[in-house]
Amino acid sequence: MLIFKATGLRACRTGGLRHVLGAALLLGAGQALASATTPASGTVSTDETLQTFSGTTTVAFNPLGVTGNDPCPTSTIECDSYTLTVDLPADYATSHPDVLLRIKLNWEYTTDDYDLYVVDSSGSVVGSSTTSNGVETIDLVPAAGSLEVHVVPVSAYLNSYTGTIELLVPGGDTGGGTTGGTSDTGGDSGDPYDDVPSAPGAPRVVVADIDSGINPYHDNYYHGGPLYGDRYPSAVTKEVLAAFGVKPENVVKLTRTGDIAADIAADQAFWDRVQPGERYHFVGTNIIAASYAGEGLAPLVPDIAKSSHGVGTSSSVINANPEAVLFFLETEGNLGNDDAHDAAFLNPEVDIVTTSYGVSIPYTGFPLPETRAFHDTYKGVVEQGKLHFSSGGNAPGLTPLRAGAGPWWSIGVGGIEEGSSEGDTLISGVFPDFVSDFTQDIPYCMDCESEIDTGVAGTSFSTPRSAGVASAVLLKARRLVGHQGGVQTVDGVPTMVVGKGYHITNWFLRRALEQAAWIPGADEYDPVAGVFDLGGLPINALAPWLQIGWGDLTATDSKAVVEKALSHLELALNVNDKDTGYCDFQTLIIEERKLYWDQIAPFLPDLFGGDQTGTVPDQDPFMFCANSVGTPAANDEGGEPTDTDGDGIVDGLDNCPNVANPGQGDADDNGIGDACETSVNRAPSAAIDGPASIAVGAAASFDASASADPDGDALQYVFDFGDGTTTSGSSATASHVYDSVGSYTVTLGVSDGRGGSDSAQRTISVTADGSGEPGTIDAQLSVDRTTGDIPLTVTFDAGASSGCSGACRYTFVYGDGAQSAAQSAATVSYTYEAAGSFEAYVIVTDDGGASAVSAPIEMQPTTTVTVTGSDHAIAQLVLDNARGPAPLTVTLDGSRSTPADGESITTYTFDFGDGSTPISGSRSVVTHVYTTPGTYQPSLTVTDSAGTTSKVAAKAEVLGDSGTGTGGGSGADGGSDTAGTGSSVNGGNAGALSWAQLLPLLGVALLRRRRRTN
């Protein structure tokens, strides 16, 4: 007989709060739900759950993991332990060689990390799992004796876990399979709808992906595949199906044997009844799908006639956030049509939409500027509060002029070679909002079930990956405040997260992503890998925003983008700081996007379809960062999380914010932490003592030591001196110097850290001599100069001062942080070493203790920069239309060339590099027609009136064929943003202006900004 005895919970290493590497580690006690099972004697033929357990971790941080043989070392970490006694017959291992004991741990937020250990009765670790993927599993051969299961938090924040101890028997149901049509949700009821889990009230996030087609047979979407491993996709619940209006008969469990042709044939009855526009759910995945494909294409069924582009984009979303609900809109043959956009952008259950298509010249990849926005993006983002991510393109065109990525309400994404060179992808849109991984290993097939393609490249996949990262931030924020899902309207404002006093809009979430995006350092660039990447260029450390916008929305845990975004939302404590240059540049770009899409694009011809822009809300919803100019004014409400009691939980989420409350304990479940309810707190009393009068410039001492707390709590003191100056801390005394005569009210505030506080006040008179009466000294100051180049030496003279009782003494204050000692001489010289504006004054005191301060004098030391001309000519050459099909007409512009200082350009000599005769003369601009495909190096040599010369060369590329862009359906464009994937969809790119065209736009912005500051 095989007997397993569950002996319940043994708390391990208890004793309150530990600290590891300076971070708080706290694990709340778990509740063991033990159930002893005694199988019948003989062969056990079914799998059985022997014991379940669960627990909660409030805050834990143990980045080094467990070391040594003890999984619960007393001095470093805390854990929960669960004990199981195994009684076995002596011959059991021989008679049951295939039976296994499985210990499995799952936790709610898979971005956190736990380790799992099993220790036998001798104290030896006999099994461990440290894979950090949301689930830990250990399989053991059963042996007689006592086993301890240790749950060890590595990094967790307000997370909960559940565990099972199971007996696995060959032939039993081990939790579902991936072949022969078995369930991938952990069971097989016979009715697919019944296999969908139910989770009322569970927070969720929905990402809509509009793309070509999807292959719902692929392993990457299922338990056991390369993404989920031992986890089960469980984001789609019965509640989600109801919210999306998915009919029970539209819930299907696909046959998955590995032979996709045979599996499609086995499921043909289902595929025959799929209707366009209907919503379907594939059991065992997080996918809800609907088809808006072109005529003649069977809806949703994977077919090699359809592009596998959508398989890649959908996988990029869930690879970044495996817990997202993926709402896939198939548009093969009808890319980005209005109906698909309506289904995504107007659906109240959708939070984020990702699109990866745009217009480009076929076979060249060169981008075209666009004049209409994607259909419904304004309604979805501005009016309904969603986020829209769209691709920046696979060529160096301007992302802000792209129909999907360009409008100010949408988010444009470029590429970075993450995990390789860590360089900026050259063939990626210019001026994006963000970048993300350009080259990924993802599924990319319509006729396979398990293959993973390596090196699939394009902003097509950077974009959905960014959307996935954003969805991970949104989901965790909703979990932290208890928001189930969908955008809610609060006081007329669409809001993505509501709860516990938090109101997070799509604009606030976008601002948090901006602040949290990761910036690779120069030391992280790999030049060798950069050679093999698709243009992996090093990031310019002086101005990285010119290449990668706000930075990389990476899903790599170690780069902490999710945590830093939550911190900016004041839901965590790891706030990210960024150079003002990011804000200055990105604000300029946003202003240009507003100018183009609000005031210019509506009046340009409609070339490719979509929504006419120019609809501007009465109140600008955009959340601006704090730029150095101050216009537009910053309205960012985040970035300052507080943790008053230092327990690692922000005050907004803390059920006892003023007192550390271990485990966030709340025994009566009333929302107030136990530490705040252990006794009725009595408020302290404040008392302050100090002088009634003091001389100006002298130190006044104040004493609050008579303040008291009836509970004996340590007090914090805040002194407000009444002149705009305050000081705070644990000291009961404070000293302050008043610079001006007058009467001041000094206010003392005391607090006990548990919500109790009190205040007290007293008045102090500041006079010239400290007597309480006004003094008679008249302090006067003059200088021999107030401005000049640094170093600037100034003579200060206080000799005109009068009214001293006895001798006068003078203290000169220079305004730059320096001052003289008190002296009897009325004059002094001082040298300013730095340019700036400083207020200087003198303090005059006499033998009777009276004093007076002179009026300030503004000093303005300056510095001068001299710019001289060149001593020789400098040639500059700009090509217009330098790349295209033959015959190619190229304009060569040498007008920017300059002569030696005081001279003039006399001769411009253009050599076209194709063997034709050079042109020499006074013309600075010429045109030339290249008739033969190839790459050429035209050059310009200039000569000035002094006889000096200069030469410069450029590059022209003449292609062998020609073509024009093809518009897709209304609101969509004819190509996807994929590079080198073999996709049947045409390679598209960002909308483009030349640099010469961009400069006037930047000039307009600078002019507008300058006018605002005048």
Side-chain angles (χ1 to χ4, degrees):
M1 178 176 293
L2 170 64
I3 302 176
F4 291 85
K5 297 178 180 178
T7 60
L9 168 70
R10 179 181 68 81
C12 163
R13 313 304 187 206
T14 59
L17 188 65
R18 304 264 197 268
H19 292 274
V20 179
L21 299 182
L25 167 65
L26 185 62
L27 180 62
Q31 177 64 43
L33 306 175
S35 57
T37 303
T38 305
S41 61
T43 302
V44 181
S45 60
T46 59
D47 298 337
E48 299 189 48
T49 298
L50 306 174
Q51 183 178 344
T52 62
F53 54 90
S54 62
T56 300
T57 305
T58 303
V59 181
F61 184 58
N62 180 35
L64 298 181
V66 174
T67 59
N69 293 322
D70 186 356
C72 295
T74 304
S75 61
T76 56
I77 62 173
E78 295 179 7
C79 66
D80 278 356
S81 282
Y82 304 89
T83 303
L84 186 72
T85 300
V86 182
D87 293 333
L88 292 172
D91 63 346
Y92 191 81
T94 303
S95 59
H96 299 81
D98 296 325
V99 175
L100 291 176
L101 187 66
R102 169 168 289 180
I103 297 93
K104 185 175 181 180
L105 180 73
N106 294 84
W107 54 93
E108 183 179 5
Y109 306 151
T110 58
T111 53
D112 288 344
D113 185 17
Y114 289 85
D115 289 347
L116 184 64
Y117 293 84
V118 178
V119 179
D120 65 13
S121 56
S122 69
S124 299
V125 176
V126 294
S128 63
S129 180
T130 58
T131 56
S132 181
N133 64 352
V135 64
E136 304 286 357
T137 302
I138 300 173
D139 290 339
L140 302 172
V141 176
S146 176
L147 296 178
E148 285 186 352
V149 178
H150 297 270
V151 179
V152 184
V154 177
S155 60
Y157 182 74
L158 295 182
N159 212 334
S160 59
Y161 65 83
T162 58
T164 57
I165 301 174
E166 301 172 301
L167 181 69
L168 304 185
V169 181
D173 181 5
T174 61
T178 58
T179 62
T182 58
S183 169
D184 281 297
T185 59
D188 190 352
S189 68
D191 183 348
Y193 180 79
D194 290 341
D195 285 336
V196 178
S198 176
R204 62 178 180 265
V205 64
V206 180
V207 180
D209 180 12
I210 307 174
D211 216 285
S212 57
I214 195 169
N215 177 3
Y217 287 94
H218 201 282
D219 286 348
N220 200 56
Y221 303 115
Y222 291 87
H223 157 77
L227 174 60
Y228 290 98
D230 211 13
R231 286 179 291 171
Y232 288 93
S234 57
V236 176
T237 62
K238 286 184 171 66
E239 292 74 23
V240 173
L241 295 179
F244 271 86
V246 179
K247 303 171 185 176
E249 60 268 27
N250 287 353
V251 177
V252 62
K253 184 184 303 177
L254 298 176
T255 304
R256 298 178 56 250
T257 66
D259 183 342
I260 192 169
D263 291 345
I264 292 174
D267 297 329
Q268 195 59 52
F270 164 71
W271 295 118
D272 288 344
R273 64 181 177 85
V274 174
Q275 297 296 316
E278 284 274 334
R279 296 167 186 177
Y280 298 86
H281 170 54
F282 303 106
V283 173
T285 74
N286 284 340
I287 302 169
I288 295 174
S291 178
Y292 297 90
E295 293 184 9
L297 293 172
L300 291 186
V301 62
D303 188 318
I304 59 173
K306 299 177 182 179
S307 167
S308 52
H309 192 263
V311 184
T313 59
S314 60
S315 294
S316 294
V317 172
I318 62 172
N319 283 5
N321 182 15
E323 297 180 290
V325 175
L326 179 70
F327 184 35
F328 188 84
L329 291 309
E330 178 186 63
T331 58
E332 177 69 30
N334 194 13
L335 185 61
N337 61 82
D338 283 1
D339 289 338
H341 276 241
D342 289 344
F345 286 100
L346 304 184
N347 189 322
E349 297 302 320
V350 171
D351 301 299
I352 298 170
V353 184
T354 175
T355 56
S356 293
Y357 34 88
V359 174
S360 64
I361 300 175
Y363 311 113
T364 69
F366 197 79
L368 294 173
E370 302 176 66
T371 61
R372 299 294 182 268
F374 279 6
H375 180 57
D376 280 342
T377 58
Y378 181 90
K379 291 181 180 178
V381 176
V382 179
E383 297 179 1
Q384 295 192 8
K386 307 180 192 303
L387 287 179
H388 173 220
F389 289 82
S390 197
S391 54
N394 299 330
L398 292 177
T399 297
L401 294 184
R402 188 142 226 233
W408 53 268
W409 54 85
S410 296
I411 297 172
V413 183
I416 191 170
E417 298 300 329
E418 188 178 335
S420 181
S421 67
E422 300 295 348
D424 172 42
T425 306
L426 175 62
I427 56 169
S428 177
V430 176
F431 298 159
D433 290 291
F434 299 99
V435 295
S436 195
D437 197 4
F438 187 80
T439 306
Q440 301 177 35
D441 296 342
I442 48 178
Y444 207 78
C445 61
M446 279 293 189
D447 56 354
C448 69
E449 291 191 7
S450 61
E451 285 84 345
I452 298 295
D453 288 63
T454 59
V456 181
T459 53
S460 282
F461 313 112
S462 307
T463 301
R465 187 171 181 85
S466 297
V469 171
S471 75
V473 176
L474 178 57
L475 180 58
K476 196 151 191 177
R478 285 178 171 175
R479 284 172 170 169
L480 289 172
V481 307
H483 180 125
Q484 180 177 2
V487 178
Q488 298 182 11
T489 300
V490 179
D491 296 331
V493 178
T495 308
M496 301 189 96
V497 182
V498 181
K500 296 186 178 179
Y502 288 86
H503 295 82
I504 299 173
T505 65
N506 54 342
W507 306 104
F508 193 10
L509 179 57
R510 176 172 177 168
R511 178 80 269 277
L513 293 170
E514 292 170 352
Q515 201 64 22
W518 180 70
I519 307 298
D523 58 336
E524 292 164 302
Y525 178 69
D526 185 345
V528 176
V531 173
F532 299 97
D533 288 336
L534 292 173
L537 301 180
I539 306 300
N540 178 359
L542 297 179
W545 47 83
L546 296 175
Q547 295 171 272
I548 59 176
W550 284 106
D552 182 3
L553 288 185
T554 170
T556 303
D557 289 343
S558 62
K559 295 170 184 175
V561 169
V562 172
E563 182 185 1
K564 289 177 180 178
L566 289 170
S567 299
H568 193 83
L569 298 173
E570 300 185 5
L571 290 167
L573 295 169
N574 187 6
V575 176
N576 200 25
D577 189 23
K578 281 191 172 174
D579 189 284
T580 307
Y582 291 95
C583 181
D584 287 348
F585 186 76
Q586 289 298 99
T587 299
L588 175 62
I589 295 299
I590 286 295
E591 288 193 289
E592 290 311 314
R593 289 162 71 176
K594 285 176 176 286
L595 174 66
Y596 178 76
W597 291 103
D598 291 350
Q599 302 178 34
I600 298 176
F603 303 100
L604 298 178
D606 180 1
L607 301 177
F608 306 111
D611 289 350
Q612 185 173 8
T613 56
T615 303
V616 181
D618 293 336
Q619 184 172 354
D620 187 354
F622 201 90
M623 186 166 287
F624 290 97
C625 54
N627 62 78
S628 63
V629 179
T631 53
N635 56 346
D636 183 1
E637 57 196 50
E640 297 182 359
T642 56
D643 176 20
T644 301
D645 57 11
D647 63 355
I649 302 173
V650 294
D651 287 355
L653 300 175
D654 198 334
N655 64 11
C656 185
N658 294 313
V659 181
N661 184 36
Q664 288 291 281
D666 184 11
D668 56 7
D669 199 28
N670 67 348
I672 301 175
D674 294 338
C676 289
E677 294 183 319
T678 55
S679 63
V680 177
N681 185 47
R682 292 173 293 176
S685 59
I688 184 172
D689 191 17
S693 63
I694 193 74
V696 67
S701 296
F702 299 96
D703 188 350
S705 58
S707 303
D709 184 83
D711 301 322
D713 296 329
L715 295 179
Q716 291 289 310
Y717 304 86
V718 178
F719 292 88
D720 183 337
F721 300 110
D723 62 350
T725 305
T726 62
T727 186
S728 61
S730 59
S731 175
T733 60
S735 179
H736 183 63
V737 175
Y738 291 91
D739 293 330
S740 302
V741 298
S743 179
Y744 300 91
T745 298
V746 182
T747 302
L748 167 70
V750 296
S751 59
D752 62 6
R754 294 200 291 157
S757 62
D758 191 24
S759 63
Q761 293 181 331
R762 70 175 292 110
T763 301
I764 184 171
S765 178
V766 180
T767 64
D769 59 2
S771 64
E773 299 296 330
T776 58
I777 296 176
D778 180 18
Q780 297 290 326
L781 179 66
S782 62
V783 295
D784 64 338
R785 68 196 67 189
T786 59
T787 187
D789 284 346
I790 58 172
L792 175 66
T793 300
V794 179
T795 298
F796 294 89
D797 188 349
S801 302
S802 62
C804 291
S805 175
C808 289
R809 295 185 65 79
Y810 308 91
T811 301
F812 294 90
V813 181
Y814 305 118
D816 62 351
Q819 68 180 48
S820 73
Q823 62 182 52
S824 57
T827 61
V828 70
S829 291
Y830 179 72
T831 300
Y832 290 90
E833 300 291 346
S837 179
F838 311 103
E839 288 192 344
Y841 59 91
V842 65
I843 301 172
V844 184
T845 59
D846 64 12
D847 292 341
S851 65
V853 180
S854 73
I857 299 175
E858 185 174 9
M859 310 302 300
Q860 293 183 324
T862 60
T863 184
T864 302
V865 178
T866 302
V867 181
T868 61
S870 174
D871 62 355
H872 61 278
I874 300 174
Q876 297 194 47
L877 177 62
V878 177
L879 303 188
D880 185 34
N881 197 32
R883 186 174 185 271
L888 179 68
T889 300
V890 179
T891 299
L892 296 85
D893 185 351
S895 60
R896 294 177 175 82
S897 303
T898 58
D901 194 20
E903 305 295 334
S904 60
I905 301 293
T906 58
T907 306
Y908 298 85
T909 301
F910 293 91
D911 187 333
F912 305 109
D914 60 352
S916 59
T917 302
I919 295 178
S920 183
S922 60
R923 286 190 300 162
S924 62
V925 180
V926 300
T927 60
H928 183 70
V929 179
Y930 292 92
T931 58
T932 304
T935 299
Y936 303 93
Q937 287 190 321
S939 65
L940 166 66
T941 302
V942 297
T943 304
D944 65 12
S945 54
T948 68
T949 64
S950 177
K951 181 178 180 180
V952 65
K955 179 181 177 182
E957 186 176 359
V958 183
L959 306 176
D961 53 5
S962 62
T964 59
T966 303
S970 177
D973 308 322
S976 63
D977 292 317
T978 309
T981 62
S983 168
S984 62
V985 183
N986 178 42
N989 303 287
L993 286 181
S994 68
W995 289 107
Q997 290 171 298
L998 174 63
L999 290 175
L1001 291 179
L1002 295 177
V1004 170
L1006 292 172
L1007 179 60
R1008 292 171 62 217
R1009 179 172 291 187
R1010 188 176 299 114
R1011 286 174 176 169
R1012 289 176 181 163
T1013 59
N1014 287 344

